[in-house]
Amino acid sequence: MLVRDAMSTVVLTIGPAHTLRQAARLMAARRVGAAVVLDPDTSGLGILTERDVLVSLGAGQDPDLESAAAHTTNDVVFAAPTWTLEEAADAMAHGDFRHLIVLDAQGPVGVVSVRDIIRCWVPARHRTEATLTG
């Protein structure tokens, strides 16, 4: 199975000036664990994850004052839609992260997460059985 088969095509994009609270509200509303940060001044792409928000809160920082730019990971590993899920999982395991921005020639087309990969690898009947017995 390929990344394009598992990825979410709902890509939340925010700007670097968004506060962490604004980013968290948008991520919660869309039920996603990461936002792609687009910086129009540098044409750069970064990623802000729920983990980044939690680390900031845990450090006592004010989510209304902290910008997404200050907590964005800019050293991003990107996936291609044609990668296998094994390639994506390997990149996540080696990079110690849970989300990959999926890029094609036009730009970001999706985000694939560890959860997306697990959903593809665990047959639907096992998820249903676990829900019924759990």
Side-chain angles (χ1 to χ4, degrees), residues 58-124:
Q61 297 173 335
D62 186 338
D64 293 312
L65 298 177
E66 293 294 315
S67 70
H71 299 277
T72 296
T73 303
N74 293 311
D75 187 20
V76 180
V77 175
F78 298 101
T82 56
W83 277 17
T84 65
L85 294 185
E86 289 81 6
E87 288 173 305
D90 185 60
M92 290 176 184
H94 283 92
D96 194 29
F97 42 81
R98 298 176 295 162
H99 299 86
L100 289 170
I101 300 171
V102 183
L103 290 180
D104 70 7
Q106 285 72 46
V109 293
V111 173
V112 66
S113 70
V114 169
R115 182 177 294 168
D116 297 326
I117 293 171
I118 291 170
R119 282 186 185 136
C120 290
W121 283 347
V122 176

Side-chain angles (χ1 to χ4, degrees), residues 31-69:
R31 300 177 51 89
V32 297
V36 175
V37 181
L38 297 173
D39 189 342
D41 293 333
T42 65
S43 299
L45 286 176
I47 191 165
L48 177 74
T49 67
E50 56 200 357
R51 183 184 299 176
D52 298 323
V53 175
L54 286 173
V55 167
S56 174
L57 291 175
Q61 297 173 335
D62 186 338
D64 293 312
L65 298 177
E66 293 294 315
S67 70

Side-chain angles (χ1 to χ4, degrees), residues 9-14 23 25-28 30 32 34-37 111:
T9 57
V10 176
V11 180
L12 172 60
T13 57
I14 63 173
R25 281 186 179 143
L26 291 168
M27 291 185 331
R30 288 174 177 78
V32 297
V36 175
V37 181
V111 173

